[in-house]
Amino acid sequence: MRAFVFPGQGAQTIGMGKALADAYPQARAVFEEVDEALGESLSALIWQGDQAELTLTRNAQPALMATSMAAMAALGAEGVSVTAASFVAGHSLGEYSALCAAGAISLADTARLLRLRGEAMQAAVPVGEGAMAALLGLDLAAVREIAAEAAAGQVVQAANDNDPAQVVISGHAAAVERAVELAKARGAKRAVMLPVSAPFHCALMAPAAAAMAEALDDVEIEAPLVPVVANVRACGETDPATIRALLVEQVTGAVRWRESVAWMAGQGVTEIWEIGAGKALSGMVKRIAREVATRQVGTPEEVTAAVDSMNAAAGTPRPERR
């Protein structure tokens, strides 16, 4: 059993997806449609722009989604559809990529939603008032205890439960800094502030959640072709109304990635393909479920290797490219 997973913010690099667009007209069409939906050439920024500008939340979110959907288009050109997976999942913004890949939200709507999501999350908290930090070597229960002690009337909470020994916290800058010092004192292998522009996935994002609720009300959501493992529930969902509500909840809620991967493994998933830029999720998967094989699918060579591997396992030759 196989799952497709989609990366979140931090995986963006200049040039990502360009080889896919050059090799597959279907992948190039993805970038063209995203450019049209946003009314600007995001692809030019992705392929030949400035890394700092690409890293801006408003750009990184639709850019990473476009790159993932280009990889899906390349897989499709080789005869592999999303139904080759039993589940799809994505880390934070990657959940939108997963929904788009599964046919729940159109590509154009997904691009516009992620542009709005990036802008709303950035605007929710004045620059400098919020922060995030990665705590390594402590489990979720320990991090929650530290956050409760460090809060002192402010917000600090577990934002990303990434794997058994990596939890990211988010909230008011002073509270996050207090939590970092407590974590160091309590045996964290590392506790470091992250270079982010806003405190994502915490209660301070409530204004962004309200903005997304309004935007999602105007977007058609279909039942996905395969279940989408939701960040805030860590289990498969297919009901459009539930998916809509969970996308709003996701803005302030924690990304339960460790539990999501464990749930998929528990359902019988033995292979996870990371679709798009980077390989961070594959590393997390190996730390969560060692028995699950991982594969990156973000270049033409990786697409070909993935398809050949799947067909070899099934005993069928790779079909001619459409």
Side-chain angles (χ1 to χ4, degrees):
M1 193 179 286
R2 184 181 301 107
F4 293 166
V5 301
F6 300 86
Q9 211 161 321
Q12 66 277 357
T13 57
I14 294 297
M16 63 183 183
K18 181 64 164 61
L20 288 169
D22 289 343
Y24 294 92
Q26 298 89 339
R28 180 170 292 275
V30 167
F31 287 105
E32 291 171 350
E33 186 172 345
V34 169
D35 286 350
E36 183 176 353
L38 297 179
E40 64 182 69
S41 184
L42 183 66
S43 59
L45 170 61
I46 298 170
W47 296 336
Q48 54 220 356
D50 174 69
Q51 179 70 28
E53 186 178 357
L54 178 61
T55 299
L56 293 175
T57 301
R58 69 185 302 272
N59 294 325
Q61 295 200 20
L64 285 161
M65 182 277 298
T67 303
S68 289
M69 292 309 96
M72 286 299 300
L75 285 170
E78 298 287 4
V80 177
S81 76
V82 71
T83 56
S86 297
F87 303 100
V88 294
H91 192 284
S92 191
L93 82 89
E95 187 167 317
Y96 285 79
S97 303
L99 287 162
C100 184
I105 306 177
S106 73
L107 177 61
D109 281 342
T110 305
R112 287 188 287 261
L113 284 169
L114 285 174
R115 169 56 57 83
L116 172 65
R117 183 177 182 267
E119 291 175 343
M121 293 173 86
Q122 184 61 65
V125 179
V127 174
E129 289 190 13
M132 299 181 76
L135 308 184
L136 278 63
L138 298 174
D139 64 17
L140 181 61
V143 170
R144 282 176 170 165
E145 288 182 9
I146 287 168
E149 186 173 337
Q154 292 184 310
V155 170
V156 57
Q157 61 194 80
N160 302 341
D161 180 16
N162 284 335
D163 64 43
Q166 182 190 135
V167 181
V168 174
I169 57 173
S170 181
H172 286 109
V176 171
E177 289 166 359
R178 289 193 293 270
V180 164
E181 293 309 309
L182 281 172
K184 290 176 179 177
R186 295 184 186 179
K189 291 181 180 178
R190 290 186 68 201
V192 294
M193 303 295 289
L194 297 178
V196 296
S197 55
F200 306 129
H201 297 290
C202 76
L204 297 180
M205 288 287 109
M212 291 309 297
E214 184 176 349
L216 284 160
D217 277 345
D218 296 330
V219 170
E220 185 173 359
I221 299 179
E222 304 280 356
L225 295 172
V226 297
V228 178
V229 182
N231 283 182
V232 296
R233 283 203 180 162
C235 62
E237 302 289 350
T238 58
D239 176 64
T242 300
I243 288 169
R244 192 186 307 272
L246 293 178
L247 286 176
V248 176
E249 186 179 342
Q250 188 221 52
V251 179
T252 56
V255 176
R256 295 167 60 183
W257 190 251
R258 175 182 57 83
E259 293 173 87
S260 295
V261 172
W263 183 86
M264 288 188 284
Q267 300 302 304
V269 168
T270 57
E271 183 179 16
I272 287 180
W273 293 10
E274 183 170 2
I275 311 291
K279 56 183 180 180
L281 298 185
S282 296
M284 294 177 195
V285 169
K286 298 310 293 183
R287 291 188 289 273
I288 297 164
R290 292 179 182 273
E291 70 280 8
V292 175
T294 60
R295 176 181 292 277
Q296 287 82 52
V297 185
T299 67
E301 295 77 16
E302 289 169 349
V303 168
T304 300
V307 174
D308 286 347
S309 172
M310 189 181 78
N311 289 329
T316 58
R318 181 158 61 99
E320 290 186 14
R321 184 185 299 180
R322 292 198 295 265

